[in-house]
Protein backbone atom coordinates (compact mmCIF):
# COMPACT_ATOMS: atom_id res chain seq x y z
CA UNK A 1 0.00 0.00 0.00
CA UNK A 2 1.06 3.61 -0.38
CA UNK A 3 2.38 5.81 2.40
CA UNK A 4 1.37 9.46 2.61
CA UNK A 5 4.72 11.05 3.59
CA UNK A 6 7.86 11.62 1.58
CA UNK A 7 11.33 10.61 2.67
CA UNK A 8 13.31 13.74 3.53
CA UNK A 9 16.37 14.04 1.29
CA UNK A 10 19.69 15.78 1.87
CA UNK A 11 22.93 16.98 0.23
CA UNK A 12 26.59 16.04 0.64
CA UNK A 13 28.80 17.52 3.38
CA UNK A 14 32.60 17.39 3.80
CA UNK A 15 34.43 16.32 7.00
CA UNK A 16 36.66 19.44 7.27
CA UNK A 17 33.56 21.62 7.38
CA UNK A 18 32.42 19.93 10.59
CA UNK A 19 35.50 20.61 12.70
CA UNK A 20 37.14 23.82 13.91
CA UNK A 21 40.74 24.27 12.87
CA UNK A 22 41.95 23.45 16.39
CA UNK A 23 40.56 19.89 16.07
CA UNK A 24 41.60 19.24 12.47
CA UNK A 25 44.92 17.77 13.58
CA UNK A 26 43.35 15.40 16.10
CA UNK A 27 43.60 12.22 14.06
CA UNK A 28 41.19 10.25 16.27
CA UNK A 29 38.47 12.92 16.14
CA UNK A 30 39.02 13.62 12.46
CA UNK A 31 38.90 9.91 11.65
CA UNK A 32 35.61 9.47 13.46
CA UNK A 33 34.10 12.52 11.77
CA UNK A 34 35.22 11.11 8.42
CA UNK A 35 33.48 7.84 9.31
CA UNK A 36 30.38 9.80 10.26
CA UNK A 37 30.39 11.54 6.88
CA UNK A 38 30.75 8.20 5.11
CA UNK A 39 27.74 6.88 7.00
CA UNK A 40 25.84 10.04 6.18
CA UNK A 41 26.60 9.63 2.49
CA UNK A 42 25.39 6.04 2.64
CA UNK A 43 22.17 7.24 4.29
CA UNK A 44 21.78 10.00 1.69
CA UNK A 45 22.09 7.53 -1.18
CA UNK A 46 19.56 5.17 0.41
CA UNK A 47 17.06 8.01 0.96
CA UNK A 48 17.53 9.21 -2.60
CA UNK A 49 17.02 5.73 -4.05
CA UNK A 50 13.96 5.06 -1.92
CA UNK A 51 12.32 8.29 -3.02
CA UNK A 52 12.28 7.01 -6.60
CA UNK A 53 10.27 3.84 -6.06
CA UNK A 54 7.08 2.49 -4.51
CA UNK A 55 8.89 -0.75 -3.65
CA UNK A 56 9.31 -0.87 0.12
CA UNK A 57 11.16 -4.20 0.17
CA UNK A 58 14.46 -2.43 0.93
CA UNK A 59 13.17 0.03 3.50
CA UNK A 60 14.92 -2.01 6.20
CA UNK A 61 18.26 -1.09 4.62
CA UNK A 62 17.23 2.57 4.73
CA UNK A 63 16.46 2.27 8.45
CA UNK A 64 19.83 0.59 9.11
CA UNK A 65 21.66 3.35 7.22
CA UNK A 66 19.86 6.08 9.17
CA UNK A 67 20.49 4.39 12.51
CA UNK A 68 24.17 3.88 11.67
CA UNK A 69 24.58 7.57 10.94
CA UNK A 70 22.56 8.59 14.00
CA UNK A 71 24.88 6.66 16.33
CA UNK A 72 27.79 8.81 15.12
CA UNK A 73 25.74 11.99 14.94
CA UNK A 74 24.82 11.70 18.62
CA UNK A 75 28.54 11.30 19.40
CA UNK A 76 29.37 14.39 17.33
CA UNK A 77 26.72 16.44 19.12
CA UNK A 78 28.21 15.40 22.47
CA UNK A 79 31.61 16.55 21.20
CA UNK A 80 30.09 19.81 19.98
CA UNK A 81 28.35 20.49 23.30
CA UNK A 82 31.51 19.76 25.32
CA UNK A 83 33.64 22.10 23.15
CA UNK A 84 31.03 24.65 22.17
CA UNK A 85 33.37 27.65 22.46
CA UNK A 86 35.97 25.98 20.28
CA UNK A 87 33.35 25.27 17.58
CA UNK A 88 31.99 28.79 17.81
CA UNK A 89 35.42 30.39 17.30
CA UNK A 90 36.79 28.06 14.61
CA UNK A 91 33.84 26.49 12.79
CA UNK A 92 33.64 26.86 9.01
CA UNK A 93 29.84 27.09 9.07
CA UNK A 94 28.76 23.96 7.21
CA UNK A 95 25.31 24.19 5.64
CA UNK A 96 23.01 21.22 6.22
CA UNK A 97 20.54 21.05 3.34
CA UNK A 98 17.36 18.98 3.55
CA UNK A 99 14.19 18.54 1.54
CA UNK A 100 10.88 18.58 3.33
CA UNK A 101 8.74 15.51 4.00
CA UNK A 102 5.74 17.79 4.53
CA UNK A 103 5.77 20.62 2.00
CA UNK A 104 5.34 19.92 -1.67
CA UNK A 105 3.28 21.02 -4.60
CA UNK A 106 2.04 19.00 -7.52
CA UNK A 107 3.17 20.36 -10.87
CA UNK A 108 1.89 20.42 -14.39
CA UNK A 109 4.70 19.43 -16.75
CA UNK A 110 4.09 22.55 -18.87
CA UNK A 111 3.19 25.14 -16.26
CA UNK A 112 5.76 24.88 -13.47
CA UNK A 113 5.13 27.35 -10.69
CA UNK A 114 7.28 28.10 -7.68
CA UNK A 115 5.98 26.68 -4.36
CA UNK A 116 4.46 29.31 -2.19
CA UNK A 117 6.14 29.21 1.19
CA UNK A 118 8.56 31.26 3.22
CA UNK A 119 11.71 32.79 1.71
CA UNK A 120 14.28 32.75 4.48
CA UNK A 121 15.91 29.39 4.98
CA UNK A 122 14.07 27.63 2.18
CA UNK A 123 14.44 27.28 -1.56
CA UNK A 124 12.55 25.39 -4.23
CA UNK A 125 14.13 21.94 -4.40
CA UNK A 126 14.49 19.68 -7.38
CA UNK A 127 11.75 17.27 -8.28
CA UNK A 128 12.05 13.58 -7.46
CA UNK A 129 14.35 12.06 -9.97
CA UNK A 130 15.76 15.46 -11.01
CA UNK A 131 19.36 16.50 -10.56
CA UNK A 132 20.10 18.23 -7.31
CA UNK A 133 22.78 20.43 -8.78
CA UNK A 134 24.82 20.06 -5.58
CA UNK A 135 26.05 22.74 -3.21
CA UNK A 136 24.02 25.14 -1.14
CA UNK A 137 22.66 26.87 -4.20
CA UNK A 138 21.79 23.70 -6.13
CA UNK A 139 18.40 22.28 -6.83
CA UNK A 140 16.99 24.68 -9.41
CA UNK A 141 14.12 22.39 -10.31
CA UNK A 142 15.49 21.42 -13.71
CA UNK A 143 14.31 17.83 -13.33
CA UNK A 144 10.65 18.64 -12.68
CA UNK A 145 9.51 18.71 -16.28
CA UNK A 146 11.35 15.50 -17.07
CA UNK A 147 9.74 13.73 -14.12
CA UNK A 148 6.27 14.69 -15.26
CA UNK A 149 6.79 14.36 -19.00
CA UNK A 150 7.43 11.55 -21.44
CA UNK A 151 9.66 8.79 -20.15
CA UNK A 152 9.04 9.84 -16.54
CA UNK A 153 6.71 6.98 -15.67
CA UNK A 154 8.79 5.75 -12.75
CA UNK A 155 9.08 9.28 -11.38
CA UNK A 156 5.39 9.99 -11.87
CA UNK A 157 4.26 6.97 -9.86
CA UNK A 158 5.93 7.21 -6.49
CA UNK A 159 4.92 6.19 -3.01
CA UNK A 160 2.42 9.02 -2.91
CA UNK A 161 1.13 8.27 -6.39
CA UNK A 162 0.18 10.97 -8.86
CA UNK A 163 2.17 13.44 -10.88
CA UNK A 164 5.55 15.12 -10.68
CA UNK A 165 6.01 17.34 -7.67
CA UNK A 166 8.73 19.14 -5.79
CA UNK A 167 9.88 18.83 -2.23
CA UNK A 168 10.63 22.15 -0.60
CA UNK A 169 14.27 22.67 0.40
CA UNK A 170 15.67 24.26 3.52
CA UNK A 171 19.15 24.72 4.97
CA UNK A 172 20.77 25.65 8.25
CA UNK A 173 24.15 25.66 9.97
CA UNK A 174 22.61 24.21 13.16
CA UNK A 175 23.66 20.65 13.99
CA UNK A 176 20.32 20.28 15.78
CA UNK A 177 18.47 20.90 12.52
CA UNK A 178 20.58 18.10 11.05
CA UNK A 179 19.62 15.87 13.98
CA UNK A 180 15.96 16.79 13.64
CA UNK A 181 15.71 15.95 9.95
CA UNK A 182 17.69 12.74 10.40
CA UNK A 183 15.33 11.62 13.16
CA UNK A 184 12.36 12.62 11.01
CA UNK A 185 13.80 10.43 8.23
CA UNK A 186 14.02 7.54 10.70
CA UNK A 187 10.42 7.97 11.84
CA UNK A 188 9.15 8.17 8.25
CA UNK A 189 11.16 5.08 7.30
CA UNK A 190 9.80 3.14 10.29
CA UNK A 191 6.27 4.12 9.30
CA UNK A 192 6.96 3.00 5.73
CA UNK A 193 8.25 -0.29 7.10
CA UNK A 194 4.99 -0.73 9.00
CA UNK A 195 2.98 -0.07 5.87
CA UNK A 196 5.07 -2.61 3.95
CA UNK A 197 4.05 -5.39 6.37
CA UNK A 198 0.30 -5.19 5.73
CA UNK A 199 -1.87 -4.84 2.66
CA UNK A 200 -4.07 -2.24 4.35
CA UNK A 201 -4.36 -0.36 7.64
CA UNK A 202 -8.13 -0.36 7.41
CA UNK A 203 -10.32 -2.35 9.76
CA UNK A 204 -12.32 -4.95 7.93
CA UNK A 205 -15.93 -5.50 8.98
CA UNK A 206 -15.38 -8.67 10.95
CA UNK A 207 -17.96 -9.12 13.69
CA UNK A 208 -19.70 -12.45 14.25
CA UNK A 209 -23.14 -10.93 14.71
CA UNK A 210 -22.81 -9.10 11.38
CA UNK A 211 -21.33 -12.01 9.46
CA UNK A 212 -23.96 -14.41 10.76
CA UNK A 213 -26.69 -12.19 9.29
CA UNK A 214 -24.94 -11.76 5.93
CA UNK A 215 -23.51 -15.16 4.93
CA UNK A 216 -20.69 -14.93 2.43
CA UNK A 217 -20.30 -11.18 2.87
CA UNK A 218 -17.56 -11.09 5.53
CA UNK A 219 -14.42 -9.16 4.63
CA UNK A 220 -11.30 -11.24 3.95
CA UNK A 221 -8.05 -9.38 3.29
CA UNK A 222 -4.75 -10.63 1.92
CA UNK A 223 -3.07 -10.87 5.32
CA UNK A 224 -5.64 -13.27 6.83
CA UNK A 225 -4.41 -16.01 9.16
CA UNK A 226 -1.89 -16.40 11.98
CA UNK A 227 1.00 -14.95 9.98
CA UNK A 228 -1.20 -11.99 9.08
CA UNK A 229 -1.93 -11.33 12.75
CA UNK A 230 1.79 -11.38 13.56
CA UNK A 231 2.43 -8.97 10.69
CA UNK A 232 -0.25 -6.65 12.08
CA UNK A 233 1.40 -6.75 15.50
CA UNK A 234 4.86 -6.01 14.10
CA UNK A 235 3.49 -3.15 12.00
CA UNK A 236 1.74 -1.72 15.06
CA UNK A 237 5.05 -1.80 16.95
CA UNK A 238 6.84 0.00 14.10
CA UNK A 239 4.26 2.79 14.19
CA UNK A 240 4.63 3.10 17.96
CA UNK A 241 8.41 3.33 17.53
CA UNK A 242 7.91 6.08 14.96
CA UNK A 243 5.68 7.90 17.47
CA UNK A 244 8.50 7.64 20.01
CA UNK A 245 10.91 9.28 17.56
CA UNK A 246 8.47 12.14 16.98
CA UNK A 247 8.23 12.58 20.76
CA UNK A 248 12.03 12.67 21.05
CA UNK A 249 12.17 15.39 18.41
CA UNK A 250 9.62 17.44 20.35
CA UNK A 251 11.39 16.96 23.69
CA UNK A 252 15.07 17.20 22.74
CA UNK A 253 15.45 18.83 19.31
CA UNK A 254 12.80 21.51 18.92
CA UNK A 255 13.90 23.45 22.06
CA UNK A 256 17.38 23.72 20.51
CA UNK A 257 16.12 25.27 17.24
CA UNK A 258 13.24 27.38 18.52
CA UNK A 259 14.86 30.58 17.21
CA UNK A 260 15.59 29.27 13.71
CA UNK A 261 13.17 29.93 10.87
CA UNK A 262 13.57 27.12 8.36
CA UNK A 263 10.92 28.01 5.80
CA UNK A 264 9.37 24.52 6.05
CA UNK A 265 7.16 23.31 8.91
CA UNK A 266 8.65 19.82 9.34
CA UNK A 267 10.42 20.66 12.61
CA UNK A 268 7.60 22.52 14.34
CA UNK A 269 5.67 21.34 17.41
CA UNK A 270 2.31 21.22 15.59
CA UNK A 271 3.60 19.07 12.74
CA UNK A 272 5.54 16.70 14.98
CA UNK A 273 2.54 16.27 17.29
CA UNK A 274 0.30 15.72 14.27
CA UNK A 275 2.61 13.02 12.90
CA UNK A 276 2.83 11.34 16.28
CA UNK A 277 -0.95 11.39 16.62
CA UNK A 278 -1.42 9.84 13.18
CA UNK A 279 1.17 7.14 13.93
CA UNK A 280 -0.61 6.15 17.13
CA UNK A 281 -4.03 6.32 15.49
CA UNK A 282 -2.83 4.05 12.68
CA UNK A 283 -1.31 1.70 15.24
CA UNK A 284 -4.70 1.58 16.93
CA UNK A 285 -6.34 0.70 13.63
CA UNK A 286 -4.07 -2.32 13.41
CA UNK A 287 -4.62 -3.21 17.06
CA UNK A 288 -8.39 -3.21 16.49
CA UNK A 289 -7.89 -5.68 13.66
CA UNK A 290 -5.73 -7.90 15.86
CA UNK A 291 -8.40 -7.83 18.54
CA UNK A 292 -11.20 -8.64 16.09
CA UNK A 293 -9.32 -11.67 14.83
CA UNK A 294 -8.07 -13.08 18.13
CA UNK A 295 -10.61 -12.27 20.88
CA UNK A 296 -13.32 -14.80 20.09
CA UNK A 297 -15.42 -14.01 23.18
CA UNK A 298 -15.67 -10.24 22.99
CA UNK A 299 -15.90 -9.88 19.25
CA UNK A 300 -19.55 -11.03 19.33
CA UNK A 301 -20.55 -7.52 20.34
CA UNK A 302 -20.13 -4.57 17.94
CA UNK A 303 -20.02 -1.97 20.74
CA UNK A 304 -16.29 -2.18 21.38
CA UNK A 305 -15.02 -1.88 17.79
CA UNK A 306 -17.48 0.98 17.23
CA UNK A 307 -16.14 2.95 20.21
CA UNK A 308 -12.52 2.20 19.32
CA UNK A 309 -13.00 3.37 15.73
CA UNK A 310 -14.77 6.53 16.87
CA UNK A 311 -11.79 7.33 19.08
CA UNK A 312 -9.39 6.81 16.18
CA UNK A 313 -11.37 9.06 13.82
CA UNK A 314 -11.36 11.76 16.50
CA UNK A 315 -7.52 11.64 16.43
CA UNK A 316 -7.63 12.16 12.68
CA UNK A 317 -9.88 15.18 13.17
CA UNK A 318 -7.48 16.58 15.77
CA UNK A 319 -4.53 16.06 13.41
CA UNK A 320 -6.35 17.96 10.66
CA UNK A 321 -7.05 20.85 13.00
CA UNK A 322 -3.37 21.01 13.96
CA UNK A 323 -2.42 21.49 10.31
CA UNK A 324 -4.90 24.34 10.08
CA UNK A 325 -3.13 26.18 12.87
CA UNK A 326 -0.26 26.85 10.49
CA UNK A 327 -0.22 30.14 8.64
CA UNK A 328 -2.52 30.13 5.65
CA UNK A 329 0.34 30.14 3.15
CA UNK A 330 2.08 27.29 4.92
CA UNK A 331 -1.12 25.28 5.12
CA UNK A 332 -1.64 25.55 1.38
CA UNK A 333 1.90 24.25 0.86
CA UNK A 334 1.52 21.20 3.08
CA UNK A 335 1.40 18.18 0.78
CA UNK A 336 -2.11 17.50 -0.49
CA UNK A 337 -1.42 13.80 0.07
CA UNK A 338 -1.10 14.41 3.81
CA UNK A 339 -4.26 16.51 3.93
CA UNK A 340 -6.21 14.01 1.83
CA UNK A 341 -4.93 11.11 3.91
CA UNK A 342 -6.25 12.69 7.09
CA UNK A 343 -9.57 13.81 5.61
CA UNK A 344 -10.36 10.60 3.72
CA UNK A 345 -9.02 8.41 6.52
CA UNK A 346 -11.25 10.09 9.08
CA UNK A 347 -14.29 9.62 6.83
CA UNK A 348 -13.51 5.96 6.18
CA UNK A 349 -13.00 5.16 9.87
CA UNK A 350 -16.21 7.03 10.73
CA UNK A 351 -18.12 4.96 8.15
CA UNK A 352 -16.74 1.74 9.60
CA UNK A 353 -17.78 2.83 13.10
CA UNK A 354 -21.28 3.64 11.81
CA UNK A 355 -21.61 0.11 10.40
CA UNK A 356 -21.01 -1.30 13.86
CA UNK A 357 -23.28 1.31 15.46
CA UNK A 358 -26.07 0.30 13.07
CA UNK A 359 -25.71 -3.26 14.37
CA UNK A 360 -25.86 -1.98 17.96
CA UNK A 361 -29.07 -0.08 17.21
CA UNK A 362 -30.60 -3.09 15.45
CA UNK A 363 -29.77 -5.34 18.42
CA UNK A 364 -31.53 -2.81 20.67
CA UNK A 365 -34.56 -2.82 18.33
CA UNK A 366 -34.05 0.82 17.34
CA UNK A 367 -34.63 0.10 13.71
CA UNK A 368 -34.88 3.68 12.48
CA UNK A 369 -31.47 4.52 13.94
CA UNK A 370 -29.99 1.36 12.41
CA UNK A 371 -31.19 2.44 8.97
CA UNK A 372 -29.87 5.97 9.55
CA UNK A 373 -26.34 4.88 10.53
CA UNK A 374 -26.08 2.41 7.65
CA UNK A 375 -27.42 4.97 5.17
CA UNK A 376 -24.80 7.52 6.21
CA UNK A 377 -22.04 4.90 6.11
CA UNK A 378 -23.01 3.96 2.55
CA UNK A 379 -22.99 7.59 1.45
CA UNK A 380 -19.53 8.21 2.93
CA UNK A 381 -18.08 5.09 1.32
CA UNK A 382 -19.67 5.87 -2.05
CA UNK A 383 -18.01 9.31 -1.98
CA UNK A 384 -14.60 7.84 -1.10
CA UNK A 385 -14.90 5.22 -3.81
CA UNK A 386 -15.04 7.99 -6.41
CA UNK A 387 -11.75 9.50 -5.18
CA UNK A 388 -9.47 7.39 -7.36
CA UNK A 389 -6.27 9.02 -6.06
CA UNK A 390 -7.17 8.33 -2.43
CA UNK A 391 -5.31 5.56 -0.64
CA UNK A 392 -8.66 4.68 0.97
CA UNK A 393 -10.69 4.28 -2.23
CA UNK A 394 -10.01 0.54 -2.55
CA UNK A 395 -11.16 -0.22 0.99
CA UNK A 396 -14.32 1.83 0.47
CA UNK A 397 -15.06 -0.19 -2.67
CA UNK A 398 -14.42 -3.48 -0.84
CA UNK A 399 -16.81 -2.54 1.93
CA UNK A 400 -19.50 -1.56 -0.53
CA UNK A 401 -19.07 -4.92 -2.27
CA UNK A 402 -19.21 -6.76 1.05
CA UNK A 403 -21.71 -6.57 3.90
CA UNK A 404 -23.00 -3.03 3.44
CA UNK A 405 -25.84 -3.47 0.95
CA UNK A 406 -27.20 -6.74 2.43
CA UNK A 407 -27.24 -5.20 5.90
CA UNK A 408 -28.83 -1.97 4.68
CA UNK A 409 -31.59 -3.95 2.97
CA UNK A 410 -32.11 -6.01 6.12
CA UNK A 411 -32.38 -2.98 8.40
CA UNK A 412 -34.79 -1.25 6.07
CA UNK A 413 -36.94 -4.39 5.85
CA UNK A 414 -36.98 -4.74 9.65
CA UNK A 415 -37.99 -1.11 10.06
CA UNK A 416 -40.69 -1.37 7.38
CA UNK A 417 -42.22 -4.52 8.86
CA UNK A 418 -41.44 -4.37 12.60
CA UNK A 419 -40.22 -1.00 13.77
CA UNK A 420 -42.20 1.55 11.73
CA UNK A 421 -39.83 4.25 13.03
CA UNK A 422 -38.91 7.52 11.36
CA UNK A 423 -35.34 7.51 10.06
CA UNK A 424 -33.44 10.46 11.57
CA UNK A 425 -31.57 12.90 9.33
CA UNK A 426 -27.82 12.70 8.89
CA UNK A 427 -27.40 15.72 11.19
CA UNK A 428 -29.37 13.97 13.92
CA UNK A 429 -27.35 10.78 13.47
CA UNK A 430 -24.07 12.69 13.85
CA UNK A 431 -25.41 14.22 17.06
CA UNK A 432 -26.07 10.70 18.39
CA UNK A 433 -22.53 9.45 17.88
CA UNK A 434 -21.09 8.28 21.22
CA UNK A 435 -17.70 9.38 22.45
CA UNK A 436 -14.83 7.24 21.26
CA UNK A 437 -12.37 5.40 23.46
CA UNK A 438 -8.95 6.87 24.17
CA UNK A 439 -5.94 5.66 22.21
CA UNK A 440 -4.77 2.25 23.32
CA UNK A 441 -1.37 2.46 21.59
CA UNK A 442 1.47 4.21 23.42
CA UNK A 443 4.66 5.57 21.91
CA UNK A 444 7.75 3.40 22.37
CA UNK A 445 10.40 5.83 23.66
CA UNK A 446 13.42 6.55 21.48
CA UNK A 447 16.83 7.20 23.00
CA UNK A 448 20.17 8.06 21.48
CA UNK A 449 21.41 4.61 22.49
CA UNK A 450 18.67 2.95 20.42
CA UNK A 451 20.00 4.52 17.21
CA UNK A 452 22.75 1.92 16.98
CA UNK A 453 20.39 -1.05 17.38
CA UNK A 454 19.67 -3.21 14.37
CA UNK A 455 16.51 -2.40 12.50
CA UNK A 456 15.90 -6.11 12.05
CA UNK A 457 15.37 -6.70 15.76
CA UNK A 458 11.65 -6.42 16.34
CA UNK A 459 10.09 -6.44 19.84
CA UNK A 460 7.92 -9.42 20.70
CA UNK A 461 4.31 -9.24 19.62
CA UNK A 462 3.20 -9.30 23.22
CA UNK A 463 4.31 -5.69 23.57
CA UNK A 464 1.37 -4.57 21.44
CA UNK A 465 -1.00 -2.84 23.83
CA UNK A 466 -4.16 -4.85 24.31
CA UNK A 467 -7.74 -3.63 24.56
Amino acid sequence: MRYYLRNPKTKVINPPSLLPSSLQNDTEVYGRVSKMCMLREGMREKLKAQSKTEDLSRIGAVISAIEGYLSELHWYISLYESKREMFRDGSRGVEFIWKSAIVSRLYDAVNLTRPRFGLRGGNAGDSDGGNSGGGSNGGNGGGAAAAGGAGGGSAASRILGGRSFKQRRTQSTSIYVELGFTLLSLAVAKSMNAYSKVSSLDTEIECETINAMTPGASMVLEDEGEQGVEALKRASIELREAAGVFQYIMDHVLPQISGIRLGVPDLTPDIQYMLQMLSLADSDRLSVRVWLRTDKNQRKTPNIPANLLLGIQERYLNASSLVRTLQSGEFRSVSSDIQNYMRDGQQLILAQAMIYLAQVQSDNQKYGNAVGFMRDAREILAGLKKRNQSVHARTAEMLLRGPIDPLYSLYRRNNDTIGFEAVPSSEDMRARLPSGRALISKAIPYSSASAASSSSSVPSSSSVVGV
Side-chain angles (χ1 to χ4, degrees), residues 355-377:
I355 295 169
Y356 285 109
L357 289 173
Q359 179 63 45
V360 172
Q361 297 298 311
S362 179
D363 290 345
N364 294 331
Q365 298 183 352
K366 296 180 179 178
Y367 301 109
N369 288 347
V371 173
F373 276 127
M374 190 59 74
R375 174 203 62 207
D376 290 353

Side-chain angles (χ1 to χ4, degrees), residues 98-100 103 115 117-118 122-124 166-170 264:
W98 284 86
K99 292 186 180 178
S100 173
V103 177
F117 202 78
N123 296 306
K166 287 189 174 184
Q167 289 175 262
R168 187 73 177 172
R169 192 180 75 178
T170 189
V264 296

